[in-house]
């Protein structure tokens, strides 16, 4: 039996919701944990401040945010292309 258009739309919306938010939430949890324990991450084993560890930690947070932003945008536009253009869907995104 052929699926109706609204069933396809609902399945697509549900699938993108399930897969689109989880990676972001996971990275958010990792970053929040790192920010909360930032002093421990940027210190030497004896507890003194480490400029090198501080730089590494700040760059890790920054680069992770940049890569995740790019990945989420790329995934979003890939899915939009598949949904609207490749399937010859008449409804175009605004």
């Amino acid at each position: 039996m052929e699926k109706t258009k609204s069933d396809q739309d609902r399945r697509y919306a549900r699938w993108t919701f399930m897969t689109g938010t989880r990676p972001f939430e996971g990275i958010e949890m990792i970053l929040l944990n790192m920010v909360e324990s930032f002093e421990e991450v940027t210190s030497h084993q004896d507890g003194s401040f480490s400029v090198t560890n501080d730089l590494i930690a700040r760059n890790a947070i920054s680069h992770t945010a940049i890569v995740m932003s790019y990945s989420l945008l790329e995934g979003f536009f890939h899915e939009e292309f598949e949904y609207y253009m490749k399937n010859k869907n008449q409804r175009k995104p605004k």
Side-chain angles (χ1 to χ4, degrees):
M1 185 174 208
E2 197 171 314
K3 294 201 180 286
T4 64
K5 193 120 180 116
S6 62
D7 286 342
Q8 289 174 345
D9 290 345
R10 268 195 298 270
R11 277 187 43 232
Y12 172 77
R14 184 172 183 272
W15 183 80
T16 54
F17 174 75
M18 288 173 50
T19 58
T21 57
R22 286 186 179 158
F24 182 73
E25 288 174 1
I27 294 298
E28 180 185 25
M29 288 168 37
I30 291 169
L31 291 176
L32 284 175
N33 187 31
M34 187 169 175
V35 168
E36 288 173 357
S37 60
F38 201 73
E39 285 185 29
E40 293 175 29
V41 171
T42 59
S43 298
H44 289 291
Q45 289 180 344
D46 63 359
S48 63
F49 180 75
S50 168
V51 174
T52 304
N53 288 348
D54 181 64
L55 183 62
I56 290 170
R58 290 179 189 279
N59 286 343
I61 292 172
S62 174
H63 293 165
T64 302
I66 291 168
V67 169
M68 280 306 297
S69 298
Y70 176 77
S71 297
L72 289 171
L73 283 173
E74 180 187 25
F76 171 76
F77 286 115
H78 174 75
E79 289 303 318
E80 291 299 304
F81 174 78
E82 291 283 326
Y83 185 69
Y84 289 109
M85 305 302 174
K86 202 169 183 182
N87 293 329
K88 306 289 187 221
N89 192 334
Q90 296 301 317
R91 275 183 41 212
K92 301 270 190 224
K94 294 182 181 179

